[in-house]
mmCIF file of all heavy atoms in Angstrom:
data_model
loop_
_atom_site.group_PDB
_atom_site.id
_atom_site.type_symbol
_atom_site.label_atom_id
_atom_site.label_comp_id
_atom_site.label_asym_id
_atom_site.label_seq_id
_atom_site.Cartn_x
_atom_site.Cartn_y
_atom_site.Cartn_z
ATOM 1 N N TRP A 122 12.260 45.003 12.934
ATOM 2 C CA TRP A 122 12.438 44.665 14.344
ATOM 3 C C TRP A 122 13.258 45.742 15.034
ATOM 4 O O TRP A 122 14.234 46.263 14.474
ATOM 5 C CB TRP A 122 13.137 43.363 14.449
ATOM 6 C CG TRP A 122 13.367 42.805 15.871
ATOM 7 C CD1 TRP A 122 14.520 42.883 16.575
ATOM 8 C CD2 TRP A 122 12.450 42.109 16.626
ATOM 9 N NE1 TRP A 122 14.345 42.310 17.789
ATOM 10 C CE2 TRP A 122 13.082 41.740 17.846
ATOM 11 C CE3 TRP A 122 11.083 41.703 16.462
ATOM 12 C CZ2 TRP A 122 12.450 41.084 18.862
ATOM 13 C CZ3 TRP A 122 10.494 40.984 17.476
ATOM 14 C CH2 TRP A 122 11.126 40.704 18.706
ATOM 15 N N GLY A 123 12.831 46.203 16.254
ATOM 16 C CA GLY A 123 13.593 47.177 16.990
ATOM 17 C C GLY A 123 12.865 47.618 18.183
ATOM 18 O O GLY A 123 11.919 47.002 18.698
ATOM 19 N N LEU A 124 13.251 48.777 18.722
ATOM 20 C CA LEU A 124 12.696 49.391 19.878
ATOM 21 C C LEU A 124 11.619 50.436 19.513
ATOM 22 O O LEU A 124 11.652 50.983 18.368
ATOM 23 C CB LEU A 124 13.782 50.097 20.683
ATOM 24 C CG LEU A 124 14.892 49.244 21.221
ATOM 25 C CD1 LEU A 124 16.040 50.068 21.787
ATOM 26 C CD2 LEU A 124 14.369 48.284 22.328
ATOM 27 N N THR A 125 10.689 50.595 20.383
ATOM 28 C CA THR A 125 9.632 51.646 20.189
ATOM 29 C C THR A 125 10.066 52.913 20.774
ATOM 30 O O THR A 125 10.316 53.098 21.980
ATOM 31 C CB THR A 125 8.270 51.206 20.799
ATOM 32 O OG1 THR A 125 7.909 50.006 20.233
ATOM 33 C CG2 THR A 125 7.194 52.277 20.613
ATOM 34 N N PHE A 126 10.324 53.918 19.933
ATOM 35 C CA PHE A 126 10.765 55.222 20.358
ATOM 36 C C PHE A 126 9.710 56.120 20.912
ATOM 37 O O PHE A 126 8.649 56.303 20.299
ATOM 38 C CB PHE A 126 11.468 55.930 19.144
ATOM 39 C CG PHE A 126 12.004 57.295 19.404
ATOM 40 C CD1 PHE A 126 13.168 57.467 20.126
ATOM 41 C CD2 PHE A 126 11.380 58.418 18.995
ATOM 42 C CE1 PHE A 126 13.765 58.723 20.371
ATOM 43 C CE2 PHE A 126 11.872 59.687 19.234
ATOM 44 C CZ PHE A 126 13.083 59.841 19.941
ATOM 45 N N LEU A 127 9.926 56.647 22.095
ATOM 46 C CA LEU A 127 8.901 57.432 22.829
ATOM 47 C C LEU A 127 9.332 58.865 23.027
ATOM 48 O O LEU A 127 8.589 59.631 23.660
ATOM 49 C CB LEU A 127 8.625 56.830 24.207
ATOM 50 C CG LEU A 127 8.046 55.398 24.159
ATOM 51 C CD1 LEU A 127 7.864 54.922 25.622
ATOM 52 C CD2 LEU A 127 6.782 55.291 23.392
ATOM 53 N N GLY A 128 10.454 59.305 22.458
ATOM 54 C CA GLY A 128 10.870 60.669 22.551
ATOM 55 C C GLY A 128 12.216 60.754 23.361
ATOM 56 O O GLY A 128 13.070 59.900 23.190
ATOM 57 N N THR A 129 12.368 61.767 24.214
ATOM 58 C CA THR A 129 13.585 61.946 24.963
ATOM 59 C C THR A 129 13.280 62.135 26.428
ATOM 60 O O THR A 129 12.202 62.482 26.827
ATOM 61 C CB THR A 129 14.344 63.224 24.484
ATOM 62 O OG1 THR A 129 13.534 64.332 24.683
ATOM 63 C CG2 THR A 129 14.779 63.037 23.022
ATOM 64 N N TYR A 130 14.347 61.860 27.249
ATOM 65 C CA TYR A 130 14.197 62.163 28.682
ATOM 66 C C TYR A 130 14.446 63.634 28.873
ATOM 67 O O TYR A 130 15.451 64.170 28.402
ATOM 68 C CB TYR A 130 15.241 61.358 29.452
ATOM 69 C CG TYR A 130 14.889 59.893 29.606
ATOM 70 C CD1 TYR A 130 15.398 58.890 28.729
ATOM 71 C CD2 TYR A 130 13.961 59.452 30.547
ATOM 72 C CE1 TYR A 130 15.025 57.578 28.845
ATOM 73 C CE2 TYR A 130 13.607 58.151 30.742
ATOM 74 C CZ TYR A 130 14.139 57.167 29.822
ATOM 75 O OH TYR A 130 13.808 55.910 29.931
ATOM 76 N N LYS A 131 13.578 64.224 29.608
ATOM 77 C CA LYS A 131 13.682 65.692 29.872
ATOM 78 C C LYS A 131 14.361 65.964 31.215
ATOM 79 O O LYS A 131 14.618 65.032 32.014
ATOM 80 C CB LYS A 131 12.269 66.380 29.963
ATOM 81 C CG LYS A 131 11.406 66.046 28.696
ATOM 82 C CD LYS A 131 12.032 66.484 27.406
ATOM 83 C CE LYS A 131 11.124 66.392 26.173
ATOM 84 N NZ LYS A 131 10.769 64.991 25.771
ATOM 85 N N THR A 132 14.753 67.184 31.416
ATOM 86 C CA THR A 132 15.471 67.605 32.695
ATOM 87 C C THR A 132 14.551 67.249 33.870
ATOM 88 O O THR A 132 13.420 67.560 33.920
ATOM 89 C CB THR A 132 15.802 69.071 32.674
ATOM 90 O OG1 THR A 132 16.564 69.367 31.535
ATOM 91 C CG2 THR A 132 16.532 69.487 33.942
ATOM 92 N N GLY A 133 15.176 66.564 34.874
ATOM 93 C CA GLY A 133 14.418 66.190 36.057
ATOM 94 C C GLY A 133 13.650 64.843 35.906
ATOM 95 O O GLY A 133 13.062 64.436 36.916
ATOM 96 N N GLU A 134 13.633 64.273 34.764
ATOM 97 C CA GLU A 134 12.940 63.039 34.557
ATOM 98 C C GLU A 134 13.848 61.839 34.925
ATOM 99 O O GLU A 134 15.041 61.839 34.533
ATOM 100 C CB GLU A 134 12.443 62.925 33.091
ATOM 101 C CG GLU A 134 11.444 61.840 32.883
ATOM 102 C CD GLU A 134 10.873 61.933 31.466
ATOM 103 O OE1 GLU A 134 11.239 62.837 30.687
ATOM 104 O OE2 GLU A 134 10.115 60.987 31.144
ATOM 105 N N THR A 135 13.313 60.870 35.560
ATOM 106 C CA THR A 135 14.163 59.687 35.970
ATOM 107 C C THR A 135 14.106 58.619 34.824
ATOM 108 O O THR A 135 13.221 58.629 33.989
ATOM 109 C CB THR A 135 13.600 59.040 37.199
ATOM 110 O OG1 THR A 135 12.218 58.585 37.045
ATOM 111 C CG2 THR A 135 13.599 60.035 38.415
ATOM 112 N N GLY A 136 15.087 57.808 34.783
ATOM 113 C CA GLY A 136 15.211 56.729 33.842
ATOM 114 C C GLY A 136 16.224 56.904 32.773
ATOM 115 O O GLY A 136 16.642 55.885 32.119
ATOM 116 N N GLY A 137 16.726 58.105 32.530
ATOM 117 C CA GLY A 137 17.744 58.305 31.625
ATOM 118 C C GLY A 137 18.327 59.743 31.669
ATOM 119 O O GLY A 137 17.687 60.626 32.279
ATOM 120 N N SER A 138 19.367 59.952 30.965
ATOM 121 C CA SER A 138 20.002 61.284 30.989
ATOM 122 C C SER A 138 19.230 62.304 30.127
ATOM 123 O O SER A 138 18.694 61.863 29.124
ATOM 124 C CB SER A 138 21.440 61.212 30.482
ATOM 125 O OG SER A 138 22.219 60.315 31.213
#
Side-chain angles (χ1 to χ4, degrees):
W122 182 260
L124 297 169
T125 299
F126 180 73
L127 300 178
T129 59
Y130 286 99
K131 308 301 189 294
T132 301
E134 192 173 359
T135 60
S138 302

